[in-house]
Amino acid sequence: MRPFKSAKLMRVAIYALSLAFPLRAQVPTAEAIAPSRLNLMPVPASVQTQKGRLPITDSFKVAVSNYSDDRLRAGVARMLARLAGRTVLTLPAVLATDESTATLVVRCERAGDIVPSLDENESYTLDVTDKQARLVAPTVVGALRGLETFLQLLQADRDGYSLPGIRIQDQPRFPWRGLLIDVGRHYEPMEVLKRNLDAMAAVKLNVFHWHLTEDQGFRVESRKLPKLHTLGSDGLFYTQDQVREIIAYARDRGIRVMPEFDIPGHSTSWLVGYPELGSASGPYKIERGAGIFEPALDPTREQTYKFLDTFLGEMAALFPDAYMHIGGDENEGKQWDRNPQIQAFMKEKGIKDNHALQAYFNQRILKILQKHHKKMIGWEEILHPDLPKDAVIHSWRGPASLAEAAKKGYNGILSAGYYIDLMFPASQHYLADPIPQNTSLTAAEEKHVLGGEATMWGEWVSPETIDSRIWPRTAAIAERLWSPRNVTDIDDMYRRLSVISRQLEELGLAHEKNYEMLLRRLATSEDTGPLRTLASIIEPVKEYRRYRMRPQTMLSPLTGLVDAARPDSEMARQFAANVDVFLSDAPRFALYRSDLEHTLAEWQTASRALGPMIDRSPALQEARPLANNLSSIAEAGLEAMSYLSAGNAPTAEWRNVQLARLDEAAKPSAAIEFVVITSVRKLVIAAAELPQLNSTTPAEWKKRVTTMASPAPSTP
Amino acid sequence: MRPFKSAKLMRVAIYALSLAFPLRAQVPTAEAIAPSRLNLMPVPASVQTQKGRLPITDSFKVAVSNYSDDRLRAGVARMLARLAGRTVLTLPAVLATDESTATLVVRCERAGDIVPSLDENESYTLDVTDKQARLVAPTVVGALRGLETFLQLLQADRDGYSLPGIRIQDQPRFPWRGLLIDVGRHYEPMEVLKRNLDAMAAVKLNVFHWHLTEDQGFRVESRKLPKLHTLGSDGLFYTQDQVREIIAYARDRGIRVMPEFDIPGHSTSWLVGYPELGSASGPYKIERGAGIFEPALDPTREQTYKFLDTFLGEMAALFPDAYMHIGGDENEGKQWDRNPQIQAFMKEKGIKDNHALQAYFNQRILKILQKHHKKMIGWEEILHPDLPKDAVIHSWRGPASLAEAAKKGYNGILSAGYYIDLMFPASQHYLADPIPQNTSLTAAEEKHVLGGEATMWGEWVSPETIDSRIWPRTAAIAERLWSPRNVTDIDDMYRRLSVISRQLEELGLAHEKNYEMLLRRLATSEDTGPLRTLASIIEPVKEYRRYRMRPQTMLSPLTGLVDAARPDSEMARQFAANVDVFLSDAPRFALYRSDLEHTLAEWQTASRALGPMIDRSPALQEARPLANNLSSIAEAGLEAMSYLSAGNAPTAEWRNVQLARLDEAAKPSAAIEFVVITSVRKLVIAAAELPQLNSTTPAEWKKRVTTMASPAPSTP
């Protein structure tokens, strides 16, 4: 699937997202929710707190009982290193031999699958008393999942570190919980992949979907067809040794590695070295732009299948996973339409359109994969009456195709709703459920829904920024795919997410630290003050608007303010919540008043200080409109608060002027937008509605506050 | 070398450092110093500014004329990527073909040495006019050096990016400018080495001294003697492929890679797999402690030399550099003393003491190295009448041994004064000169001084912290080794260092960003406020006091406050300067008054806020005394300032109480010390001396201010 959508498809995707995101949904929580002082993410299937606490000191010892192997011991060693790093305690490096005196006993039954698989048993129980913690799991992977929970349970107070008394029984809701990383559009170094695998394991994701080929790059070494990577990658590819290294690294963490070779479209980079496979005559060049491109493999020639048999056979031997993803998306067939030989072939075979031609292609690929003992998975476009039932459908345009596939008896996974490159907040992804509560699927059909995958499409990510696009939001998706369906409290999710986000830093994730670094670079100063203030309340524009608003190529630097800015502004979320409380506190308007005034004043100060900073740093020039708008926003907010505090209503003219200024400020610049406009608009409207306050009941006013600025009329 | 010194040797080293660091030396600067608005580091040999400026826009083009090869083109591509990243400009990816329209023309004569060597010509000239920049160099390495200067010249203002009109002629003062990284005590992943090689290239260092073996770890794969790395490394070693990768990476940047295999001492890890080489019977275990250990190879057995011939021969083929470092330091010979066979051997051969026995050993090793076409270099202990003149002496205890070696006709390099693990400020290292102005060497003898190396000993560094121990201070050492001797303005060095430090972040260096990260982890919060305030005015204790004050093993976490704290506090430097200006402004005491009061008040606030933070985070428990002392420091400072501002002298009792509190606060905790005590002490003493102010001339008072608190009497 594809990050660059035609307008029609984009509407579909947005509709799906809006369906999945009822404003501020707070589904009643059940016993499955962990007590609020816990910071578990994903929330386990069942949690019961018990009395007591288990102290964690430098005499902490782990014993492994029953089954043990290198993978388990390495997992324990990693857990110990993280525990030591967090507590600054020197912990014994060797495993305890006496189970009875160990602080933590890990008891496994067996290794589990040699190659991580969809059928792996990932369950575990964790029982913590004031004497000991016992982690019991049928497989090593289950134990690894439990070790992550163990680490998340660490708590601290004046008496030191401890774990709470607790009984956890846990297993995933879905067996397929993935993260796609597109290394085709921008290559990512080995250490970026490794730290992201560590982060995946920390939140119990279990499929690394490695999108290895794109129009913009062919990223895996082929020894049999070396022109693929030598001519198609700018030298930026993974050697087969490196691929094995990643597979081993992932396996050590109970993570499958599923490669994707996207065909017949998205294949320009293949054709640079082998133009004879194309549906139009070459030569081809590595694509530098973003979007959907015409080149497609020629599905009518035997040579194509011979080539793919060779290549996919080589890859089948390299990648041990049972599944191979063949993409299959967004081939618009323009090259096919223009190629007389292809048209003649279709006529001869009675193939009525391009979709049918691609189905023919898929049939042939399926046979090749079967020959090499792989199961086929592809983007939802592969769904076709001729598609055999053992193919898996990867739904990206909306959950409807997933349900449709399930009803037809196909297994499927969901990515619609999990497009993290679209820059939507975690809350939105969090509520996208592969099997929504109102599903029309029968219980038997539900079993065809295997899970889902977050998709990190690579147009606008670099090794410096990719972590901040994936994390922490993907942890919320990981919870959706692991935890019971009724775990949907957004506030509690955000509370835990900020804790987990910090813990991810222990694994080398750079989503926090590169933010400040990029701001320092832009500010050309240690002192990022005003820029940081600005950055805290802006976000990159959503969906695919960046493409249009700030055109770049794959060779452009990703170091601008839009790259430093992150989705899901915590500051904006907090500001919005505080504004609601403040306005609901009518007619006193006292709660959070000084907080809000302080914040608004800080914005005003920052907007003044940004001018000289931008003068010094031409890289920030594009942000000048934002700096100016920040001043409008702050002024509107401060003035509105004065009216509210004094109980004096402003004139209608004032209201209209302010709303117009806010509308102006709401327009994106540099592919960036403010995410506090709605809240400030509320302040302005509330001030203007002061005269009505007397004739409104408190309950009515509270309700009015929540809807005050939405939809936003700029004139009465 | 050795990081853990006996008391006697430590005194020598400290004496050497104190000699090298006359307080606040400001040697008059000559024409070699770049104009103060430039941020070049190291300062070039000759700089002349010219009129005009060369704009840098998205039509920036580079042409390579005359000689060109992959290494040069890769260097240009890296420069372009950094230029693009910093300016957020999309720059053309391909080289320009028309020299006349190029913004930058790079003209080389030849490749230079295939293997980077001591004789490489690194010179270049860079001529920037408002039309074009021309970089001319005899070799590709010279061009790479010039490209770094080019990037450092980038300036910005409201009109955009540009380079100033300038003529630079440049070459290094010394041909050997190195950084030692000890990966024996703590292993460092490949990406840590690579980013440090990038940083080295950025400041024109040219030798990566890879300290590969230690008592605590044997870090290189030996295919011929595999028990060395399999049993001696905990699995943390570099494969030979990885070694080749590092060598190629370094070569691409004009950096030599010199391996060190430290023998006959420092060799415990060798003996884990091959105990038969030891001077005492085994078994041996990988050493976990820090210090000097007894195990040493047995120099009396032929088997030892056969083994070393095999191993060093294998390494000689792996590492192309002309030099091989054989360590040779800190073998105290205790195992030799106790071994009757060794004693008998010495008697038989007429070897009178252990130093002579080691000289015998070195003679044998020298022959092995000669057989494998390597030149020998070792720590200064190898100096002995029998040592052949083509061995190189690595001086670590003081410049005297370097001079002694030079007088005897040996080549030598200096590391005394460049021990960055000792946590001294950059200013101190900066003034340590391999050939001080008062040298007794003749011009001919001076030629034997090849340069120097900063030494990053690895006892207390992890992949998270190592960058902050190396950078930015090592850039000051790099300048010492490259720039003319008279470039010694410390204030200007610090001004440029802070700019260069930020630029190093572009290369992935984590010295800045991991600081905040470690503080977040300790604070268990995004909001590190008070901890950050504390951390800004503390430093790890100097020299080797950490070993004693906060004992740890090589397996301990390096995530404590001492690991987050950095040497060379900028805040303390600034505070000290401001206090001096404030006190010199007698009797008004107005300059910087509000700044200082604000800072001291912030310390007071932070000290109060730290209590609850420490309660939440037991990892910070050890910092509680520091939090309390911060309050004493702030109070003493604020009270002193009130007296000074009011012109009222305090009582002698007040003075004594405050100085006693400051003495108490000056005591390290958690191997950390405050570095603002001297300045606050000045405030207290100045307040107490207010009555004398009337009878003192302004000049006398100013002089008094500089010496007021040094030496620091706690009672009158």
Side-chain angles (χ1 to χ4, degrees), chain B residues 666-679:
Chain B
K667 292 180 187 158
S669 295
I672 290 168
E673 59 194 5
F674 281 101
V675 284
V676 290
I677 303 273
T678 303
S679 303

Side-chain angles (χ1 to χ4, degrees), chain A residues 475-614:
Chain A
I477 298 172
E479 175 156 294
R480 174 59 45 239
L481 298 171
W482 177 285
S483 302
R485 175 154 62 190
N486 61 0
V487 177
T488 50
D489 182 329
I490 286 176
D491 290 342
D492 192 59
M493 178 274 286
Y494 273 123
R495 180 186 65 75
R496 290 175 289 123
L497 194 62
S498 79
V499 176
I500 298 300
S501 181
R502 262 198 322 279
Q503 291 174 1
L504 291 176
E505 289 198 277
E506 298 165 3
L507 301 166
L509 277 290
H511 55 303
E512 279 293 333
K513 60 190 182 183
N514 280 0
Y515 173 66
E516 273 288 334
M517 179 191 73
L518 288 165
L519 295 182
R520 277 194 293 273
R521 195 180 301 165
L522 287 166
T524 63
S525 169
E526 274 306 286
D527 179 15
T528 57
L531 185 60
R532 198 184 188 192
T533 299
L534 173 66
S536 72
I537 52 171
I538 57 176
E539 292 181 7
V541 289
K542 312 296 164 214
E543 297 147 13
Y544 297 112
R545 289 192 288 157
R546 175 170 176 167
Y547 293 71
R548 185 169 42 79
M549 303 183 79
R550 196 170 174 279
Q552 285 188 305
T553 77
M554 295 303 115
L555 301 175
S556 300
L558 295 166
T559 52
L561 187 55
V562 66
D563 301 297
R566 296 178 297 188
D568 217 356
S569 160
E570 191 178 337
M571 175 65 84
R573 217 161 48 233
Q574 208 178 311
F575 184 76
N578 292 358
V579 163
D580 279 6
V581 173
F582 167 78
L583 288 178
S584 300
D585 183 38
R588 293 194 316 152
F589 300 110
L591 291 173
Y592 288 114
R593 185 199 293 177
S594 67
D595 269 21
L596 290 170
E597 282 171 351
H598 179 81
T599 300
L600 289 161
E602 198 184 311
W603 297 353
Q604 202 166 41
T605 309
S607 85
R608 276 195 289 267
L610 277 166
M613 185 182 275
I614 293 171

